[in-house]
Amino acid sequence: MKPTHFALFLLVSCVSVCCEQGLQKKSLIFPEETNSSYVSLHPVKPMSLTAFTLCMRLASELRNKRDTILFSYYKSGDALNLWSEPGVFTLYLLNSTPASFRVPQLSSFWTNLCVTWKSSSGLTTFWVNGRRSVRKVYRQGHQIQNGGIVILGQDQDRWARSFDSTQSFTGEITNVHLWDYALSSDEICSASEGYTEPQGNVIDWNSVEYKAEGNVLIEPIND
């Protein structure tokens, strides 16, 4: 084999084992607290965001027990983090006091959770099972920077490492979608009630490239 062909073979081989693709009708099950189990997601568009909608379905029995990471995007810090904390959900955008919302918390049953944010106005809203929270103004004029990494299951204190088991997610996660704009109330309600199939234009659960590390089960959602 010629050197150039061999190099190409190695590159293709590395790419082929890097990631799986598509989680349609599947859920991630994190059965235990760890500092090593997570799933990385690979956005199809740059994470340079001046607005976003982040939606997911979750079930967990950690309600009100401790701080639990739900979504971690790290770029020189907590660029976009979503947490369940005792009594509240919180959104963190880099180097700021979080926006906290007292809304119904996670349980053993599925929760449809969405959060929207617009830099132009700072308006931030949580949605739980199709019901909208009060709107708050948070990080007006801020822009989320591209070039980071998205992880489910762990909070990143450094790039894809420095995990703390006492902040890890345990339970099930599915249908994670991210858009680079704020969905309308009708669009969020329609997706939450199952009338439409969401398809994020930055992260689309149905086709996203992902890589699982550690003790994470990937199972059909309806089994």
Side-chain angles (χ1 to χ4, degrees):
M1 183 180 296
K2 294 181 179 180
T4 54
H5 292 170
F6 181 68
L8 180 60
F9 171 77
L10 287 178
L11 176 61
V12 172
S13 298
C14 289
V15 171
S16 65
V17 300
C18 169
C19 306
E20 302 291 334
Q21 185 166 13
L23 287 161
Q24 186 174 26
K25 297 183 179 179
K26 294 181 180 179
S27 70
L28 308 178
I29 302 171
F30 297 86
E32 60 183 354
E33 291 186 0
T34 75
N35 62 359
S36 58
S37 299
Y38 66 92
V39 175
S40 57
L41 304 180
H42 299 265
V44 295
K45 294 182 68 175
M47 291 285 289
S48 298
L49 304 176
T50 55
F52 69 81
T53 302
L54 173 62
C55 291
M56 59 184 68
R57 293 183 73 199
L58 311 101
S60 176
E61 295 188 337
L62 286 174
R63 179 180 179 179
N64 292 330
K65 292 182 179 179
R66 60 171 173 80
D67 295 351
T68 303
I69 189 67
L70 306 180
F71 182 95
S72 173
Y73 173 61
Y74 186 93
K75 167 63 177 174
S76 302
D78 296 333
L80 196 176
N81 275 19
L82 183 61
W83 289 82
S84 172
E85 300 179 0
V88 297
F89 286 111
T90 55
L91 173 68
Y92 286 78
L93 301 181
L94 189 65
N95 299 328
S96 66
T97 301
S100 298
F101 291 77
R102 294 191 178 278
V103 293
Q105 297 294 288
L106 301 180
S107 72
S108 296
F109 300 101
W110 285 116
T111 294
N112 290 307
L113 178 66
C114 292
V115 57
T116 62
W117 173 78
K118 297 179 182 178
S119 175
S120 58
S121 62
L123 283 180
T124 306
T125 311
F126 272 75
W127 298 78
V128 178
N129 294 330
R131 298 180 63 190
R132 180 177 70 80
S133 72
V134 64
R135 289 177 285 185
K136 298 184 179 182
V137 175
Y138 178 57
R139 295 310 306 271
Q140 186 174 7
H142 177 68
Q143 179 173 348
I144 298 168
Q145 299 299 310
N146 188 40
I149 182 170
V150 174
I151 279 181
L152 303 178
Q154 299 287 345
D155 173 45
Q156 306 173 74
D157 289 333
R158 294 185 180 182
W159 179 286
R161 63 186 191 276
S162 296
F163 303 141
D164 182 346
S165 62
T166 64
Q167 297 177 329
S168 65
F169 179 83
T170 64
E172 288 192 54
I173 301 179
T174 189
N175 290 2
V176 178
H177 292 272
L178 179 66
W179 293 260
D180 59 4
Y181 59 91
L183 295 182
S184 68
S185 299
D186 288 343
E187 288 173 315
I188 290 177
C189 289
S190 180
S192 295
E193 294 170 6
Y195 295 121
T196 59
E197 179 70 23
Q199 286 187 306
N201 69 340
V202 180
I203 294 174
D204 178 357
W205 190 251
N206 299 323
S207 59
V208 67
E209 289 188 349
Y210 68 94
K211 185 176 182 181
E213 298 283 355
N215 187 15
V216 184
L217 304 179
I218 302 173
E219 297 291 337
I221 194 171
N222 292 323
D223 275 10

